[in-house]
Amino acid sequence: VDLITPAFDTNSGANYPYSTPLDATPVTTQNGPWTDPATWTTSAVPAAEDSVVIAHDVSIPADLTHENRIRIATGASLTVSTGAAFTAQTLLAQGGLTISDGATLAASSGVSLDGGTLTVDGTLLNSGGVTGTGAFTVNGTFQLQSGGYTNLPPAYGPASTLVYNTGGSYGRYNE
């Protein structure tokens, strides 16, 4: 592990240097469930406040809340499994993001596609934007919360549903 040792000279010479990993961002090391410590470079399940990088095929098998950025790398995927409810702050998909039938993703800051794919077979509760470039497919429910929008036109399947929550304002774009 690369370490960096900062030197602080702000307390009249009573400095206490320490070493910290140069890059402590949890990155996946293998395909597997988010909840398995062996899936991560840190050998621990990421804390809710960690920024993470998904570099493999990872599933979310149970309810989970993540409060920081998640980047899904090109060639990798993140799948919210049937029966799971996943609440996420910021998602960047260069790879694939799938919400399985019977699963829910609540994206409070939205989903940004950077050439990736977003497939909604379950429910996407969107309070931010679905933006960027890539493929956005809705076979389940795309529910716009107050402030939600998309500037990326989705391809709707025959059983899909678009829902606007009441009591809010919505950016009308390409939904």
Side-chain angles (χ1 to χ4, degrees):
V1 173
D2 293 328
L3 298 177
I4 185 170
T5 303
F8 299 102
D9 197 12
T10 59
N11 56 358
S12 303
N15 296 318
Y16 303 97
Y18 65 95
S19 295
T20 183
L22 183 59
D23 184 5
T25 300
V27 178
T28 60
T29 59
Q30 65 183 17
N31 297 339
W34 180 292
T35 52
D36 182 354
T39 301
W40 303 97
T41 54
T42 55
S43 298
V45 175
E49 64 275 0
D50 288 339
S51 288
V52 302
V53 176
I54 306 295
H56 296 80
D57 297 331
V58 174
S59 63
I60 297 175
D63 294 355
L64 178 72
T65 297
H66 196 77
E67 300 165 355
N68 209 329
R69 180 183 167 156
I70 298 169
R71 182 172 69 85
I72 305 162
T74 302
S77 68
L78 180 62
T79 300
V80 183
S81 300
T82 300
F86 181 44
T87 301
Q89 181 69 26
T90 304
L91 291 146
L92 171 63
Q94 296 167 314
L97 173 59
T98 300
I99 305 160
S100 299
D101 187 24
T104 300
L105 169 63
S108 57
S109 292
V111 178
S112 177
L113 297 182
D114 184 9
T117 61
L118 171 58
T119 305
V120 180
D121 293 326
T123 301
L124 172 59
L125 306 174
N126 186 46
S127 298
V130 176
T131 62
T133 60
F136 178 21
T137 304
V138 178
N139 298 310
T141 301
F142 179 36
Q143 186 168 337
L144 291 169
Q145 312 288 70
S146 180
Y149 69 95
T150 179
N151 69 6
L152 186 62
Y156 286 100
S160 62
T161 304
L162 173 62
V163 176
Y164 290 91
N165 270 6
T166 60
S169 60
Y170 305 94
R172 292 188 52 217
Y173 292 95
N174 294 306
E175 64 279 356

